[in-house]
Amino acid sequence: MMEKLKQRWNIDRNWQLVFPFLGVLLVLLTAYSFARKLLHTFDLNNTFYEWPFTLGITAVLYVLMVRFFLWCFKKLENRWKVEHDWEMIAIFIVFAITGSVSAKLAAPLTELIGLEKATVSGWIYWPVRILLIFPIYQVLLVCFGWLFGQFKFFWSFEKKMLKHMGLGFLFT
């Protein structure tokens, strides 16, 4: 089974196995988190149905998310030039971590500049928060890309994205 996994993801060194295993773990954790949120939405917490519901929804969401990510891999493998298939998993993990961390960092920054969700109109609060997230996201994307061994991909991705946004002059 391990050889089949290595062959499927073009893994030639054992340390590269960390990416498929980390991917499985993160998708499972995400499915579990969504299931727990649904559990509270349907007010099933602390009932007989709590764990059967949580485990069942987690399993269904896990299968759906894995199928979705594998579909995404197939759609993007020709577009994103990577040498090994396992790098696609690393890239997806970097995008997920970067999005989560930048969204978490935006809340204290909006409070730091004096904008609080309870006291400012949503028409002001959310655009400012999104504008704060954008540069944080760009910096973190390259940093996390470097940590996961994908600096070259994300540096190229950044330059291309900023060029399409008319900000290419930042790199000349």
Side-chain angles (χ1 to χ4, degrees):
M1 183 173 147
M2 192 61 72
E3 286 305 315
K4 191 173 182 181
L5 177 73
K6 284 181 173 184
Q7 187 179 16
R8 162 63 178 98
W9 293 102
N10 298 58
I11 293 173
D12 52 3
R13 295 199 170 90
N14 284 338
W15 67 267
Q16 296 164 344
L17 285 167
V18 76
F19 294 109
F21 288 122
L22 188 58
V24 165
L25 184 66
L26 290 173
V27 171
L28 191 58
L29 182 63
T30 304
Y32 175 77
S33 297
F34 283 148
R36 293 302 292 181
K37 288 203 184 294
L38 282 173
L39 177 83
H40 293 292
T41 301
F42 293 122
D43 204 26
L44 295 172
N45 201 24
N46 297 323
T47 67
F48 171 78
Y49 301 106
E50 179 177 5
W51 286 107
F53 179 87
T54 301
L55 295 174
I57 296 298
T58 298
V60 169
L61 288 175
Y62 175 79
V63 168
L64 291 174
M65 284 191 283
V66 166
R67 286 178 169 260
F68 172 72
F69 292 132
L70 291 174
W71 176 79
C72 288
F73 289 165
K74 284 184 183 175
K75 292 290 182 184
L76 293 170
E77 73 183 341
N78 292 329
R79 192 171 193 192
W80 291 349
K81 304 297 182 211
V82 293
E83 290 181 36
H84 305 286
D85 290 344
W86 63 265
E87 291 177 297
M88 293 289 286
I89 300 170
I91 290 167
F92 270 61
I93 291 171
V94 168
F95 277 123
I97 291 172
T98 303
S100 299
V101 170
S102 61
K104 288 287 185 191
L105 289 175
L109 282 175
T110 52
E111 289 178 21
L112 185 69
I113 63 172
L115 294 176
E116 294 183 22
K117 193 174 177 182
T119 60
V120 176
S121 166
W123 292 100
I124 295 171
Y125 178 82
W126 287 108
V128 169
R129 184 172 168 148
I130 290 168
L131 287 172
L132 281 173
I133 288 174
F134 183 73
I136 295 168
Y137 183 85
Q138 304 313 310
V139 171
L140 289 177
L141 194 61
V142 175
C143 291
F144 284 122
W146 175 75
L147 283 174
F148 280 82
Q150 298 300 316
F151 177 80
K152 185 178 174 184
F153 173 85
F154 283 104
W155 185 244
S156 172
F157 184 87
E158 278 296 318
K159 290 192 289 188
K160 201 180 310 178
M161 183 177 62
L162 291 173
K163 186 178 176 185
H164 286 300
M165 295 174 66
L167 300 172
F169 64 89
L170 294 171
F171 295 104
T172 57

